[in-house]
Amino acid sequence: MPSIHRRDFLAASAALSGLAMSGLQAFAQTPRRGGTLRVSVDQAVSKLNPLVTRVNPEYLVAELLYSGLTRLKVDMSAEPDLAESWTNSADLTEWTFVLRKGLTFHDGSPCTAADVVATFEAILDAKTASPARQNVGPIAKVAAKDDNTVVFSLSAPFADLPVTLAYTNAKIVPAAVIKGGLEKLDRQAIGTGPFKLVSFEPERQIVVARNEAYYDKARPFLDKVEVVVFPDVSAEASALIAGDTDLISTTPPTEFGRLQKASGIKALRVPSGQFCNVNFGCDQKPFNDIRVRQALALTVDRAAMVDFVTEGFGSPGNDTALNPAYRFYADLPAKQADIAKAKALLAEAGYPKGLEATLIASDRPGQRTQLAVALREMAKPAGFDIKVETMPHATYLDQVWKKGSFYVGFYNMQATADAIFSLLYTSNAAWNETRWNNAAFDKLVFEARATADEAKRRALYADAQKLMYAEVPSIIPAFFDLLAARREWVEGYQLHPRGAVFRLDHVSLGANAPKRG
């Protein structure tokens, strides 16, 4: 399969985005105010505290209830949220953010620079266990210059700060709540977001209503949003077809074809850097031996993986976390299956008669199991005897995630190369699931984030990708296009390539939308 260049990828993104947006009313028209949007998700919303959310349904609800300093546009650039403007020092080590005036939390208390400082101090405190800690940039200190001005002092130059401050877990919460204990946010929501919490049933439904004190008086357009949990993806698609729901936030390829053919539905698709991978515990036998990891990677038919795992809605992966969707993607030779070489590497590693292993996959999303089964079959001829164990997602999160040594992961695209590397692959990554702990890789990523020189950053990130490509801390066989669907009466919704950003405050309902209480 020919390599995919970034320019071709962006052209495809534009084409698919145009397809996804077909049928929408022109944005120049004034959106209708009012109505209740019913959006379905495929997992429970177990975490309400925005600093520790972990999965897309939780990100969706947090985004409705909370705001960050910045937010991520569909083109992956930062735009103002609670901060109306920002400036930086010439050496990129100090950034100053000016807040909008008159901001208030849902309980009526003012939102000021002191709350921003307290939030980021909580995020940077390891005890909070926020994924944002390693993903908001090299922040050394946060200080309030006055009630409306926040100054970030960095430990190194960092050009991406406005983008990284839009990270999913970097939502501003009240300083008073932090002081009293963040556990309060496990069942309550005290944010500045476009909606306020009405009811919270994690396994069934979350209801939010318009925040009349939101800083943008024009938005949100909706009166309410109901987030409904559908553990069964087929039932979820059927509900949209029946008109019982208005929007599916994400749907698997197995249901996408049915939704494409259904009357009154617009199927949505956009290329993305989202991927499933096979995580190796690089600190444990047998995967602490690079030859075992390389051998298994050599069994993968990547074109077949795209067909089987993404149902054709994706592109091949090359065992690096970047694809052409990312700004600093390096176009390395496409990996090809080589069973003979895989056998030889396995024998060199001390397994001439083969190797047995149990590969664990969560049942959400279903592509995890599909990937596991495909790898099991592809690896057999090389001597790998892989048992696939599928478990409920909640069990996986509690017992396997960040603990196991051989399991299937699933990750959204991040806004920058630094963000995905710092989330998953550096030694101090928020989710250091592979425990690869490669000092050379860490050094490259650190140097790349600390320079504003475009050419130097590109070279450093290219070297980082070459290390992943060679040492295989995880197998990344394919990247997914994102798939979703909406009823024709849903207007203003764009499927975001980040996967964890939804921007439902820009959505409105057409005149033919069903009336809901």
Side-chain angles (χ1 to χ4, degrees), residues 285-287 292 346 351 353-359 383-387 405-406:
K285 289 186 176 181
F287 301 116
V292 174
L346 207 53
Y351 303 96
K353 296 182 180 180
L355 186 152
E356 295 182 0
T358 298
L359 178 58
F384 286 93
D385 182 5
I386 296 174
K387 176 186 176 183
S405 62
F406 193 38

Side-chain angles (χ1 to χ4, degrees), residues 18 20 24 29 33 82 136 188 260 287 289 294 317 338 344 355 360 363 378 389 399 428-429 482 507 509:
L24 290 182
Q29 297 181 8
R33 291 183 68 83
L82 295 182
V136 291
Q188 298 181 46
Q260 280 182 306
F287 301 116
D289 191 320
Q294 291 171 334
D338 189 333
L355 186 152
I360 298 175
D363 63 354
M378 291 178 182
E389 180 181 341
Q399 298 181 8
N428 64 345
L482 300 189
V507 171
L509 296 172

Side-chain angles (χ1 to χ4, degrees), residues 451-463:
T451 179
D453 186 309
E454 182 85 3
K456 186 175 181 181
R457 294 186 85 189
R458 187 167 298 281
L460 289 164
Y461 282 131
D463 286 345

Side-chain angles (χ1 to χ4, degrees), residues 139-377:
I139 299 171
K141 182 181 178 183
V142 189
K145 186 176 180 180
D146 55 44
D147 283 352
N148 289 91
T149 309
V150 183
V151 178
F152 288 81
S153 299
L154 310 183
S155 59
F158 189 60
D160 292 336
L161 190 67
V163 175
T164 57
L165 292 187
Y167 190 72
T168 47
N169 299 102
K171 306 297 186 188
I172 306 306
V173 299
V177 169
I178 296 170
K179 185 177 181 180
L182 280 168
E183 62 274 4
K184 182 175 183 178
L185 299 182
D186 291 343
R187 302 294 301 184
Q188 298 181 46
I190 309 173
T192 56
F195 295 90
K196 301 173 72 170
L197 185 65
V198 174
S199 62
F200 177 58
E201 299 173 73
E203 304 283 343
R204 192 181 78 84
Q205 178 175 272
I206 296 88
V207 179
V208 300
R210 179 194 289 123
N211 174 17
E212 299 294 349
Y214 188 54
Y215 67 74
D216 187 334
K217 300 307 177 187
R219 294 183 287 111
F221 305 117
L222 301 163
D223 290 334
K224 286 184 179 180
V225 177
E226 297 174 355
V227 180
V228 185
V229 180
F230 277 86
D232 183 280
V233 293
S234 180
E236 183 180 24
S238 295
L240 187 72
I241 292 169
D244 294 332
T245 59
D246 306 311
L247 174 67
I248 290 180
S249 62
T250 182
T251 193
T254 52
E255 297 299 322
F256 191 72
R258 181 159 71 111
L259 292 166
Q260 280 182 306
K261 299 172 184 175
S263 176
I265 287 177
K266 291 294 181 181
L268 312 175
R269 177 184 176 188
V270 65
S272 173
Q274 184 186 76
F275 63 85
C276 266
N277 71 352
V278 177
N279 283 310
F280 298 117
C282 297
D283 59 343
Q284 299 178 33
K285 289 186 176 181
F287 301 116
N288 60 343
D289 191 320
I290 188 175
R291 294 169 295 186
V292 174
R293 305 196 302 267
Q294 291 171 334
L296 189 54
L298 283 168
T299 70
V300 179
D301 181 333
R302 290 160 198 266
M305 277 289 192
V306 171
D307 290 338
F308 186 71
V309 178
T310 79
E311 308 263 337
F313 298 105
S315 57
N318 224 11
D319 299 338
T320 75
L322 304 189
N323 73 344
Y326 282 93
R327 177 177 165 199
F328 293 110
Y329 164 71
D331 190 10
L332 302 173
K335 289 189 174 183
Q336 305 293 333
D338 189 333
I339 298 300
K341 189 173 181 180
K343 282 184 175 180
L345 281 170
L346 207 53
E348 285 178 24
Y351 303 96
K353 296 182 180 180
L355 186 152
E356 295 182 0
T358 298
L359 178 58
I360 298 175
S362 160
D363 63 354
R364 287 290 182 272
Q367 291 97 321
R368 295 197 203 220
T369 300
Q370 290 173 262
L371 171 56
V373 170
L375 182 64
R376 179 187 68 192
E377 298 306 311

Side-chain angles (χ1 to χ4, degrees), residues 30-90:
T30 302
R32 294 179 73 253
R33 291 183 68 83
T36 298
L37 177 76
R38 188 172 290 164
V39 55
S40 64
V41 297
D42 62 356
Q43 300 175 43
V45 181
S46 301
K47 299 285 186 181
L48 196 58
N49 177 352
L51 304 189
V52 295
T53 49
R54 305 163 297 175
V55 293
N56 284 355
E58 295 171 354
Y59 299 145
L60 186 154
V61 171
E63 186 183 286
L64 294 172
L65 298 168
Y66 293 88
S67 302
L69 289 179
T70 60
R71 62 190 307 190
L72 206 59
K73 296 197 292 186
V74 175
D75 66 2
M76 293 291 181
S77 64
E79 69 174 355
D81 200 2
L82 295 182
E84 64 181 7
S85 65
W86 53 85
T87 56
N88 57 270
S89 62

Side-chain angles (χ1 to χ4, degrees), residues 56-57 59-60 63 249 493-494 496 499-504 507:
N56 284 355
Y59 299 145
L60 186 154
E63 186 183 286
S249 62
Y493 181 71
Q494 285 185 277
H496 200 293
V501 178
F502 304 92
R503 299 172 65 90
L504 294 185
V507 171

Side-chain angles (χ1 to χ4, degrees), residues 435-451:
R435 303 177 295 281
W436 181 32
N437 299 343
N438 186 296
F441 181 83
D442 294 345
K443 184 173 184 290
L444 289 165
V445 173
F446 179 80
E447 289 181 2
R449 76 164 65 123
T451 179

